[in-house]
Amino acid sequence: MIKLSPSILQAVSKPARYTGGEVNAVCKDLDKIACKFALSMPDVYEVGMSNLGLKILYEILNKRNDTAAERVYTPWPDMEEKMRQNNIPLYTLESFTELGKFDFVGFTLQYELSYTNILNMLDLAGISILSKERKNYEPFIVGGGPCVYNVEPIADFFDFFIIGEGEEVINEVVTEFITWDKETKTHDRQELLHRLAAIRGIYVPSFYRAEYNEKGVFKELVPLFPDIPKVIKKRVIKNMDDIPSIEKPIVPYINIVHDRLMLELFRGCSRGCRFCQAGIEYRPVRERRRETLYALAKKMIDNTGYDEMSLTSLSSADYSCLPVLIENLIDEYAGEKMNFSLPSLRIDSFSIDIAHKLQTTRKSGLTFAPEAGTQRLRDVINKGVTEADLLRACAAAFEHGWKTVKLYFMMGLPTETDEDLIGIAELAEKVVDLYKKVKSRRDVKVTVSVSCFVPKPYTPFQWFGQNSKEEFERKQRLLKANIKNKAIHFNYHDASTSILEGIISRGDRRLAKVIYLAYKKGAKFDGWSEMFNFKTWMQAFEEIGVEPNQYNLRTRDVTEKLPWDYTTPGVRKEFLLSEYKKAAAEELTPDCRRSKCIGCGICQELGVDIVDWKGNNDDDISRRDN
Ligand code: SF4
C-alpha cells in the first residue's frame, strides 16, 4: 500500500485528486479477491471522474464478489514530478495499491490526444509500455470506448481491446480470467489472450500482422492464427432495461467537469449526420423504459445527495417520452430542489419548451449546433435543419427570456467554399437582428464557436482529405474579418490539435513509434491547449520517418483497404459510400428511427433492433421489423 506524506499533498494543486475516500467509493480486501481491475481514463481526475462509461463498469465489476474495480487517473505534472522524485509508483484511489499489482488495467479511449498520457501512466506504474515486452506477472492492458474503431496507432501498447459496449463482455473477460488463473500453472499471458480472442468483441492486436503495399499504403491485417476472427464486430446491448446501470455514483470532494448525476435515457442516434462517428458507433437507437429511468433516478438521488441530474444521450430531446418523463421527475422532486438538465438541444421549438420547463439552462444560455453556415452545406452533412428552424427556435428562446445563444459550427467540411464560411457570420447576424425584433432591445450575446473538422473512421467522410493547418488558419481569418457586429463573439481553436487528431484517428500501426517518441520528448496532456506542443510531434514524425500528411490530407481511394476495416461497428461499407456520394450531390437521407430502414446494415449484422417507446405502456413499443 502506497503511503503519501502530507508534504507531497501540500506541494501539489488540488490534492483531493489523489486521496480517494469519496462517498460510494468501493474498498474491498484485495487479498480475498480473484480479479483486480483498475479502471482509468487517461486524463486528470476531474475529467476522468465525469466519464459515464467508467462509472457503469465500476459498479458492474464491484457487484461481483470475486472482483474489485478501483480507479486511477493521470496525475497532473506537479504531482507526477513529486511521485517520480519520491519513487512513488502510480496507484489506485481506493486501496492505494500500485497499478502493477492489478490483473487488468482498463483505459477508456475517449480522444486520440490522450494517448501519450497512457504511455506516461504505464511508465509511472513501472509497467512495460510495449505489450510484447510485458511479463507474465504484469497486468493485462485493455482499451475500450469510442476510439476503439481505429486502435491501430496504439495497437503495440495494448494486450487487447473491447470493441463496442462493455456491460456484458466485461463480465465474460473477468470470468475467463478467473478460470484461466485457477487452471494454469504457468500463467502464460498468451494463453489467456487466446481464450479472450474467442469472446465476441475482443480484439487482440498482437495476433494480427499489418501489411503495406510497395507505395507504403496500408494493405491488409492478416490473422496469425487460424482460429482468430478476421473481423471483430462490436458488442451491443439489445435491451437497455436489462443491464445494470449506475445506482451509487461516487461523490467527489472537488468540482469535476460534469458535477451532477447522469441518467442515460437511451443509446444511439439515427439522425444520420454524415460527419458524426458516434451516430454510427452507437446505432441502433435503444431507449430505456420510463419506469426503468424513474427507478434509476430515485436510487441515484437517494444514494448521493446531488441536487442536479443531467438527462444524457447523444440527442436527449429525441427520447420519445421526454415531456412525460420530465413532468413526472419535476413533480416527484418538487420539494427537494432537484434540477434536471439536458446536455444538448435540438434546433426546434419543442426543445425550447422543454428547456423552459427545466429552467436550469437559462443560467448558461442556450446552445444550438447548426454545424454549417449555409443550407447547401447543411444538406451535404445531412444536418436536417434549416435557417427557418434555427430562427424559430431562437425566437422561442428570446420570447422565454433567454438573451445568450451559442452556435456551434465546423469549418473544413467536404465541399465547403468561402461563401459557406461567410454564411456563418450572416446567420449569426440574423440571430442578433431577430433578438432586436422580438425584444426591441440590443442586449443579446451570440457566441459563434467554430471547430476544425476531423474526418473520422466509420463515417461517410472517412475517405475525405482533411484541410491543412494553413487552410484552416486562412478560413479562421476570413471568418473573423466577416464578423463585425459587437454582439457576436467568435471562438475558435488552434488548428494544430485538430490536425494531430486527424492524423492519429485515421492512422495505422506505424504511428506507434511516433506516439512513443513524442511521449519520450515530453508530450502529455495533448488535449490541453496550454500543454500541447505541435513542434514536438512534428519532430517525432520527422525522426521516425513517417509522413503525417498521408494520414490526414490525403483523400483515399474508396477501393483502398483501411486500417480500421477489421474492428467494426457493423455498418456496411456500401452504405457509407452511398452516403459519401449523396453528400457530394447534396441529397438528404431521412432518420431511420420512425421512417423506413435506410440500410446501414447494423441491425441485421448484429441481430439487434431499434427500441423506441412512443408512449406509456407495452403496447406502444415500436420495434422495427427489418
Ligand atoms: S439497420 Fe436500418 S433501422 Fe437499423 S440502424 Fe441501420 S438504418 Fe436504422
Side-chain angles (χ1 to χ4, degrees), residues 174-418:
V174 166
T175 302
E176 192 61 58
F177 167 81
I178 293 172
T179 310
W180 166 83
D181 196 36
K182 275 186 198 144
E183 282 173 8
T184 173
K185 290 197 174 70
T186 57
H187 285 93
D188 176 21
R189 50 197 301 127
Q190 292 300 313
E191 192 196 322
L192 179 67
L193 290 174
H194 264 282
R195 292 187 187 198
L196 295 180
I199 296 176
R200 273 189 307 121
I202 299 292
Y203 172 49
V204 180
S206 59
F207 289 176
Y208 300 79
R209 183 183 65 243
E211 293 188 350
Y212 305 89
N213 68 19
E214 58 292 345
K215 287 186 189 146
V217 175
F218 174 84
K219 193 173 123 206
E220 204 181 353
L221 203 60
V222 183
L224 299 177
F225 303 97
D227 56 339
I228 298 302
K230 195 156 171 51
V231 173
I232 295 93
K233 293 178 201 156
K234 78 170 177 188
R235 290 292 292 260
V236 61
I237 303 299
K238 291 188 180 174
N239 186 342
M240 289 292 294
D241 291 311
D242 272 359
I243 49 160
S245 190
I246 311 167
E247 294 177 7
K248 293 179 84 174
I250 296 173
V251 186
Y253 289 125
I254 54 174
N255 281 341
I256 59 172
V257 175
H258 299 297
D259 207 1
R260 56 191 79 93
L261 296 170
M262 286 190 251
L263 184 65
E264 190 185 18
L265 307 183
F266 65 95
R267 251 174 230 173
C269 173
S270 49
R271 294 199 156 243
C273 298
R274 293 183 176 124
F275 57 84
C276 180
Q277 193 182 33
I280 295 289
E281 282 182 4
Y282 293 101
R283 276 189 189 199
V285 165
R286 288 146 295 147
E287 293 189 341
R288 281 200 161 105
R289 285 170 174 271
R290 265 195 308 137
E291 296 72 21
T292 310
L293 292 169
Y294 290 138
L296 285 173
K298 180 164 175 30
K299 277 185 188 157
M300 283 197 281
I301 293 167
D302 289 351
N303 285 330
T304 61
Y306 262 112
D307 61 2
E308 190 176 349
M309 176 178 281
S310 170
L311 309 178
T312 63
S313 289
L314 284 173
S315 68
S316 298
D318 283 334
Y319 181 58
S320 58
C321 318
L322 192 65
V324 195
L325 175 76
I326 285 176
E327 220 149 88
N328 291 1
L329 285 172
I330 290 175
D331 285 353
E332 175 83 26
Y333 295 98
E336 298 177 38
K337 293 207 170 80
M338 269 303 289
N339 289 310
F340 297 94
S341 60
L342 290 178
S344 60
L345 291 179
R346 279 189 337 218
I347 303 180
D348 58 19
S349 321
F350 165 80
S351 292
I352 303 303
D353 286 346
I354 296 277
H356 180 61
K357 212 169 265 171
L358 294 172
Q359 292 295 331
T360 49
T361 40
R362 187 184 293 248
K363 296 172 206 158
S364 55
L366 283 179
T367 301
F368 297 116
E371 315 284 6
T374 59
Q375 195 56 47
R376 189 200 70 76
L377 194 52
R378 283 193 293 274
D379 290 348
V380 167
I381 61 174
N382 203 41
K383 185 64 196 175
V385 293
T386 63
E387 184 175 302
D389 293 331
L390 177 69
L391 295 179
R392 257 195 307 272
C394 287
F398 297 150
E399 274 155 13
H400 278 305
W402 274 281
K403 52 183 182 180
T404 305
V405 175
K406 285 186 203 149
L407 302 175
Y408 282 144
F409 298 92
M410 281 181 282
M411 61 169 55
L413 288 161
T415 79
E416 181 184 76
T417 63
D418 286 355

